[in-house]
Amino acid sequence: MIGGLKGKVEILEPGKIILWTKDTGYLLYHPLNLTLVEDEERKFYIHTYVKEDTLNLYGFTTKEQLRLFQTLIQVSGIGPKLALAVLETSSVEKIKQAIQEGDVSFFTRVPGIGKKGGQKIILELSSVLKLDVKEEKKYNPQLLQALKNLGYKFKEIKPILEELNLDNNLPLNQSLRLVLRQLAKKTR
């Protein structure tokens, strides 16, 4: 499975590029609102979509876009093309906010998503997003952001945070050091 690619961009058509990494060109689909320049070096986080007769690569410039795309395609009736269309409408934060606020009209503006589709997205994803927000509020937000910036997902670090039961008043560098030390022990 391909998780990320870095290479030179060859633009084919809107939403579709070939990313050249050394001697191999990968066909990537990406959100239309992504600004790309021919022959520029770019890094993409990749979702490999495999279905009976299909193998497509979807590229995103941020981990947050990739995660939201992967969350959206878990909703029945929302495939990769519709998930890309949702990502093209706005930022990840605004899309999550629309889900949390139950804003059906936000999703009905996306071509291919009607009222029922919008309601389905909100219904199936609001609990997923609320759980993450409630859980994360228990911990030092600076510590969580620092760990996310290092590439850790909340689900990975939550058990360690619970185990350490860190005081939120503890300086960030000390908290970070303790968590990273525990993560290192777990990966040995």
Side-chain angles (χ1 to χ4, degrees), residues 11 13-17 29-37 40 42 44 59-62 65-66 68-69 72 81-95 106 110:
I11 298 172
E13 57 190 65
K16 194 186 218 181
I17 63 168
Y29 296 92
H30 62 83
L32 287 173
N33 57 356
L34 179 61
T35 305
L36 295 170
V37 178
E40 104 182 289
R42 289 297 291 263
F44 290 91
F60 305 92
T61 55
T62 67
Q65 283 181 325
L66 172 64
L68 183 55
F69 175 83
L72 285 166
K81 288 180 184 174
L82 275 179
L84 274 181
V86 170
L87 285 169
E88 292 163 0
T89 61
S90 194
S91 68
V92 170
E93 292 77 28
K94 287 184 180 175
I95 296 168
F106 179 91
V110 176

Side-chain angles (χ1 to χ4, degrees), residues 119-133:
Q119 289 171 336
K120 193 174 211 175
I121 290 171
I122 291 166
L123 180 67
E124 291 188 29
L125 298 184
S126 62
S127 60
V128 172
L129 296 177
K130 282 180 186 170
L131 285 176
D132 287 348
V133 170

Side-chain angles (χ1 to χ4, degrees), residues 124-156:
E124 291 188 29
L125 298 184
S126 62
S127 60
V128 172
L129 296 177
K130 282 180 186 170
L131 285 176
D132 287 348
V133 170
K134 282 181 187 175
E135 288 290 312
E136 289 183 19
K137 282 185 179 179
K138 294 180 189 176
Y139 305 104
N140 180 336
Q142 291 175 317
L143 176 62
L144 286 179
Q145 190 58 52
L147 290 165
K148 286 179 182 179
N149 289 345
L150 292 171
Y152 293 103
K153 294 179 184 165
F154 180 70
K155 290 177 184 176
E156 293 175 276

Side-chain angles (χ1 to χ4, degrees), residues 36-48:
L36 295 170
V37 178
E38 190 87 23
D39 290 327
E40 104 182 289
E41 183 89 12
R42 289 297 291 263
K43 177 174 93 171
F44 290 91
Y45 296 97
I46 303 297
H47 175 79
T48 306

